[in-house]
Amino acid sequence: MKFLSRSEELVLMMISKVEGDVYGVLLKEHLEKVTGKYWSIGSVYVPLDRLESKGFVKSYTGEASSKRGGRSKRLYEITDEGRQQLTEAQSLYEKMASYQPLV
Amino acid sequence: MKFLSRSEELVLMMISKVEGDVYGVLLKEHLEKVTGKYWSIGSVYVPLDRLESKGFVKSYTGEASSKRGGRSKRLYEITDEGRQQLTEAQSLYEKMASYQPLV
DNA sequence: CATAAGTTCTATAAAATAGAAGATATAAGG
DNA sequence: CCTTATATCTTCTATTTTATAGAACTTATG
């Protein structure tokens, strides 16, 4: 893998920021809030699945909402490998920012 | 378009940093230097084409190398719209960095 | 005329995006 | 109580867009 993709990075960053239970719909809400753009539910779960299959997050089944709705949540947490990827992504941007392309 | 894609952003950032003539092979070299990873030539030109079709860069035919090689260069420069995209990308990361996901 | 420097083209894999369908708990109403 | 409606949340999948690699091509100079 060359780099974390855009949506993988944003989703992973958000997972690392949210405290307490982290689940798909909550991530969608926060991502919409911070980016000011619409996120379809698929555009959250697809990268989530991919992040999990790459080992950057792990998930387990949580309890159902205490609110009206029914279905139980899938809760996510970032792994050590996931944190490392975020660090590398940040480092890439720092390198880019300070790069002097001398000819 | 929701966001600039990863490679579009990196290529566009590099274009905005290089002074003097900016062309594909030179971008490839700088991108490899700053990222420490291999960039195939296609992974530079494909996003370049897309950036141009979206109006974020413009290109014109330059002169042939003064060195041995032959073919004339295609020179790129970032447009105002391209700069704006970069500003937005940067702003996205700043917002992410300072976001407090209050439940 | 061989070769270096550079671009174009194209095939394939991976990622992004939208939204319909499915699951299931609580609310509401008779 | 029991049935049905509805809210919350996830899964699935089709389509479009991006990424990636490298072969093929162009052309000036040694």
Side-chain angles (χ1 to χ4, degrees):
Chain A
M1 178 188 326
K2 210 145 127 190
F3 308 109
L4 222 43
S5 81
R6 174 81 50 199
S7 67
E8 285 166 357
E9 182 180 9
L10 293 174
V11 169
L12 192 55
M13 285 181 84
M14 192 55 82
I15 291 174
S16 80
K17 283 182 156 274
V18 174
E19 292 173 17
D21 285 357
V22 181
Y23 60 100
V25 168
L26 182 66
L27 288 169
K28 169 187 156 74
E29 289 167 0
H30 283 306
L31 287 165
E32 290 187 332
K33 205 163 172 183
V34 72
T35 64
K37 299 193 177 168
Y38 172 73
W39 286 63
S40 72
I41 195 63
S43 66
V44 176
Y45 279 104
V46 167
L48 270 177
D49 286 352
R50 210 159 46 228
L51 285 167
E52 182 157 30
S53 79
K54 291 176 179 172
F56 301 150
V57 303
K58 61 188 170 195
S59 74
Y60 50 98
T61 302
E63 305 194 351
S65 190
S66 60
K67 284 182 285 185
R68 173 82 175 266
R71 187 163 189 167
S72 60
K73 296 179 176 122
R74 174 155 296 280
L75 302 178
Y76 293 90
E77 57 187 43
I78 190 169
T79 63
D80 289 349
E81 293 74 23
R83 283 188 205 290
Q84 195 185 332
Q85 287 297 314
L86 282 186
T87 301
E88 282 178 23
Q90 188 178 350
S91 146
L92 170 60
Y93 278 91
E94 284 165 4
K95 277 187 233 155
M96 280 299 292
S98 65
Y99 185 66
Q100 300 272 351
L102 300 173
V103 184
Chain B
M1 180 190 325
K2 211 143 123 189
F3 307 110
L4 224 44
S5 80
R6 175 81 51 200
S7 68
E8 284 166 357
E9 182 180 7
L10 292 173
V11 169
L12 192 55
M13 285 181 84
M14 192 55 84
I15 292 175
S16 80
K17 284 183 156 276
V18 174
E19 289 172 19
D21 285 356
V22 180
Y23 60 100
V25 168
L26 182 64
L27 288 170
K28 169 186 156 75
E29 290 166 2
H30 284 305
L31 287 166
E32 290 186 332
K33 205 163 174 185
V34 73
T35 63
K37 300 193 174 166
Y38 172 73
W39 285 64
S40 71
I41 195 62
S43 66
V44 176
Y45 279 105
V46 167
L48 270 177
D49 285 351
R50 210 161 45 229
L51 286 167
E52 181 157 29
S53 78
K54 292 177 179 174
F56 300 149
V57 304
K58 61 189 172 193
S59 75
Y60 49 99
T61 303
E63 303 193 353
S65 191
S66 61
K67 286 182 285 187
R68 172 79 178 269
R71 187 160 186 171
S72 60
K73 295 180 178 121
R74 175 155 294 279
L75 302 178
Y76 293 90
E77 60 187 40
I78 191 171
T79 63
D80 289 348
E81 292 74 23
R83 283 188 205 289
Q84 194 185 333
Q85 288 296 314
L86 281 186
T87 301
E88 283 178 24
Q90 188 179 350
S91 146
L92 170 61
Y93 279 92
E94 285 166 5
K95 276 187 236 157
M96 281 298 293
S98 64
Y99 184 66
Q100 301 272 351
L102 300 175
V103 184

